[in-house]
Amino acid sequence: MIVMGGIVGSGVFINPYVVARVVHTPLMILGAWTIGGMIALAGAFIYAELAARRPNLGGQYAYIREAWHPMTAFLYGWALLLVTQTGGMAAVAVTFSRYFIEITGTHLSDGMVASLTLAALTVVNCLGVRSGSTVQNILMVLKLGAVAALVVVGLTYSGGPALALKPLFDRPVSPGLFTAMGAALTPVLFAYGGWQTASFMTAELKNPRRDLVRGLLLGVAGVIVLYLAVNWVCLRALGPAGLAATTTPASTVMRLALGEQGGRWTAIAVAVSTLGFLSQGMLTAPRVYFAMAADGLFFRQVAWVSPSTRVPVVSIAMQGVMATVIALSGKYEQILNYVVSVDFIFFGLTGAALFVFRKRDTGGAGFRVPGHPFTTAFFVVACAGVVASTVYSYPSNSLIGMAILAAGVPAYYLWRKPV
């Protein structure tokens, strides 16, 4: 449940239409979601071994810092603040806004609803109000319940067009075919994101060698099945063209099957689940900015914790402002493109860090990646391929993220000196 809960967010409810706009046959659409699942599974195993080898470091920022260089780790945190985390939150906020607009019928724009939502959650979290475990469990049940309802209703619904598995491809076998599949992986891998957080629980397991491996394998495999089922029912109910034509596929399928009430309940469940994701992200990611400030690589004020609320107010507010700016400045698809192009640079570097630690460490890790070095190399190469394909397919959007990343180099040399 921890692994699946970390992965299943808003992407599965909305990203199927983004994929269907890039590739146009059922085989290619389902193939993109299968390939994305395999990449996520390989990455999950790598992060499990990294956590076993460095259980006290504190995650991806520290893995990169120890394996490569403090500047590389700084650039990760810089990109997290200005591109990947805030961009991801902006994209999820836009997802919430689309379903919120569908529920309420308001005439506000996606960006306006998203920015107001992010601002409200930022204020709430700066005041120290945290979602309790009971609330988070309720949100998780609603999220999985919405997915399960979509799958069950979609499988029983028979009013859509017959799902034809031919033609297999929407274009001749050529470099353009592989480029299109690479571009389709951008929204897919965004939806699969979150498996990396499962490795942080290593120290709390009685038998991490057994239980973490089982949890990662079963959790990621379960999400793969879930995502393929969602896309199958969307294709079965809407067809590739119909799926590409809607920006709210989950509620569209439910509306076709059950009428307006079905679409409305699905929209409510999706909206609630995205709020839970955003609220959680408001407090987790600022720990990286806090660590950067503690390392002397960021404004000292970022490491300040309010004595009354005991939360890093500056970090949370800074992240909320950046996510709001991104939500107002770009569309959902544009945000996905430049978030993934930068995010997978650091996923690849983190995967490659395993080669460094294996060479450097003399003792065992407790858990070892099955099939290493081949599975680790597959993940690293896949990450490089995703970055290259995203940049090639969406150069203008990707350039935004790359430019922000490059700006972190002089910023590092400015902040590394004692202030």
Side-chain angles (χ1 to χ4, degrees):
M1 289 300 293
I2 290 174
V3 173
M4 294 182 73
I7 299 173
V8 178
S10 64
V12 66
F13 297 108
I14 195 169
N15 285 8
Y17 94 84
V18 184
V19 178
R21 289 184 177 181
V22 180
V23 292
H24 313 297
T25 68
L27 178 69
M28 295 182 71
I29 293 171
L30 295 174
W33 287 91
T34 302
I35 294 170
M38 295 301 102
I39 295 173
L41 187 60
F45 281 132
I46 292 170
Y47 276 64
E49 180 169 339
L50 288 173
R53 288 181 176 274
R54 299 291 190 274
N56 301 316
L57 280 186
Q60 193 168 351
Y61 170 79
Y63 301 152
I64 293 174
R65 181 186 61 200
E66 184 167 330
W68 303 114
H69 190 274
M71 185 179 76
T72 310
F74 171 83
L75 290 176
Y76 164 72
W78 174 269
L80 193 73
L81 172 63
L82 300 180
V83 181
T84 57
Q85 175 67 21
T86 51
M89 294 179 69
V92 173
V94 171
T95 301
F96 167 80
S97 68
R98 289 181 176 177
Y99 282 94
F100 178 83
I101 290 171
E102 182 179 345
I103 296 166
T104 62
T106 181
H107 297 292
L108 294 175
S109 65
D110 289 351
M112 182 58 65
V113 174
S115 62
L116 291 174
T117 303
L118 288 166
L121 287 173
T122 299
V123 171
V124 167
N125 281 281
C126 284
L127 292 174
V129 180
R130 304 187 185 191
S131 299
S133 60
T134 302
V135 174
Q136 290 296 333
N137 286 337
I138 292 173
L139 293 174
M140 183 62 193
V141 169
L142 284 173
K143 183 163 50 178
L144 291 180
V147 176
L150 175 62
V151 172
V152 172
V153 172
L155 288 175
T156 57
Y157 174 68
S158 58
L163 184 59
L165 296 180
K166 291 184 179 181
L168 300 179
F169 307 118
D170 60 4
R171 66 202 76 191
V173 178
S174 63
L177 176 66
F178 294 101
T179 301
M181 284 298 291
L185 282 174
T186 298
V188 168
L189 291 170
F190 183 87
Y192 275 111
W195 43 263
Q196 67 271 20
T197 61
S199 60
F200 298 152
M201 60 177 286
T202 305
E204 300 177 48
L205 296 175
K206 294 181 179 179
N207 191 343
R209 174 181 290 183
R210 180 195 66 194
D211 297 335
L212 186 58
V213 174
R214 288 180 179 178
L216 286 167
L217 179 61
L218 295 174
V220 175
V223 171
I224 294 172
V225 172
L226 202 64
Y227 281 10
L228 287 174
V230 168
N231 280 272
W232 176 270
V233 300
C234 287
L235 287 168
R236 188 171 180 266
L238 305 174
L243 178 57
T246 177
T247 58
T248 54
S251 56
T252 300
V253 171
M254 294 292 282
R255 187 181 296 108
L256 284 174
L258 302 176
E260 288 299 322
Q261 193 67 17
R264 181 177 180 82
W265 280 111
T266 301
I268 292 173
V270 175
V272 172
S273 72
T274 53
L275 277 178
F277 174 87
L278 289 171
S279 179
Q280 187 181 39
M282 282 290 178
L283 279 180
T284 54
R287 294 175 183 175
V288 175
Y289 323 137
F290 183 95
M292 290 170 61
D295 287 345
L297 296 176
F298 212 19
F299 294 113
R300 287 184 176 178
Q301 293 86 347
V302 175
W304 181 74
V305 176
S306 170
S308 58
T309 63
R310 298 184 180 181
V311 295
V313 173
V314 178
S315 292
I316 295 171
M318 182 174 59
Q319 178 178 262
V321 169
M322 288 306 307
T324 302
V325 170
I326 295 173
L328 286 171
S329 63
K331 297 180 180 179
Y332 182 80
E333 295 86 346
Q334 294 172 332
I335 295 171
L336 287 187
N337 295 336
Y338 77 76
V339 166
V340 171
S341 63
V342 173
D343 208 14
F344 272 78
I345 292 174
F346 293 102
F347 277 139
L349 286 173
T350 308
L354 182 57
F355 291 105
V356 177
F357 290 147
R358 283 233 183 173
K359 184 177 181 180
R360 184 183 299 170
D361 297 348
T362 56
F367 166 74
R368 301 176 74 86
V369 174
H372 178 87
F374 303 105
T375 50
T376 306
F378 162 73
F379 177 75
V380 174
V381 172
C383 289
V386 169
V387 173
S389 179
T390 305
V391 172
Y392 177 81
S393 301
Y394 312 101
S396 58
N397 295 334
S398 300
L399 183 62
I400 298 173
M402 296 300 177
I404 296 173
L405 179 62
V409 176
Y412 168 76
Y413 287 104
L414 173 66
W415 268 308
R416 70 171 181 163
K417 298 177 182 180
V419 180

